[in-house]
Amino acid sequence: MSQSGDVLERFLETLVQQITATRPEYLTAPFTVAEIYQELVPYRSHRNLIGVEMNGDYEDALFRLLSGEGDYLVLDSEVARREMQAELASPNPNTALFHEFAPVDVRLHPSRVPVGAGT
């Protein structure tokens, strides 16, 4: 797995741990993009667990997750996902674009939900 993939995997693991500990209903229910970076795994308190040193690296990882890389998260807005994928494919992507989609619902990809969750 690439270093970028490692960061995405650690980001997801950290997100799942936080959801399990604080909002277990989010294992199977939607939450907003904003909740990820404001409440569940904010940069300042989770950067070491995720394995990023700079806010830009955090934003890049979150942007990649939201755009569908690795099938970790499912964004409920296909328009938002397409816009992020197009931005990611550009020569100099603005990874802070995800802030424009703060109210959009997102969920853990069903294959990433821990076995037995929500039962």
Side-chain angles (χ1 to χ4, degrees):
M1 184 180 289
S2 69
Q3 187 173 4
S4 174
D6 290 344
V7 170
L8 296 184
E9 190 70 36
R10 285 191 304 268
F11 201 119
L12 179 75
E13 288 172 11
T14 303
L15 178 60
V16 169
Q17 288 170 0
Q18 285 302 115
I19 287 172
T20 301
T22 65
R23 302 296 299 264
E25 66 273 18
Y26 287 174
L27 290 169
T28 56
F31 44 96
T32 66
V33 169
E35 285 177 290
I36 295 172
Y37 63 85
Q38 291 176 349
E39 299 169 23
L40 295 168
V41 286
Y43 166 73
R44 288 192 182 272
S45 58
H46 292 84
R47 64 181 171 208
N48 290 338
L49 290 171
I50 295 168
V52 294
E53 293 183 21
M54 299 183 335
N55 189 54
D57 297 331
Y58 171 92
E59 287 186 347
D60 179 70
L62 179 53
F63 192 81
R64 289 176 181 283
L65 288 171
L66 293 170
S67 69
E69 190 171 320
D71 287 330
Y72 295 108
L73 299 175
V74 177
L75 206 58
D76 283 356
S77 169
E78 190 59 37
V79 171
R81 179 171 300 242
R82 278 196 309 265
E83 282 189 42
M84 284 192 265
Q85 288 172 338
E87 185 66 27
L88 196 56
S90 71
N92 188 18
N94 172 14
T95 57
L97 178 68
F98 69 83
H99 290 281
E100 292 183 22
F101 303 108
V104 172
D105 280 344
V106 62
R107 0 175 138 247
L108 296 174
H109 190 281
S111 68
R112 305 299 180 162
V113 175
V115 176
T119 58

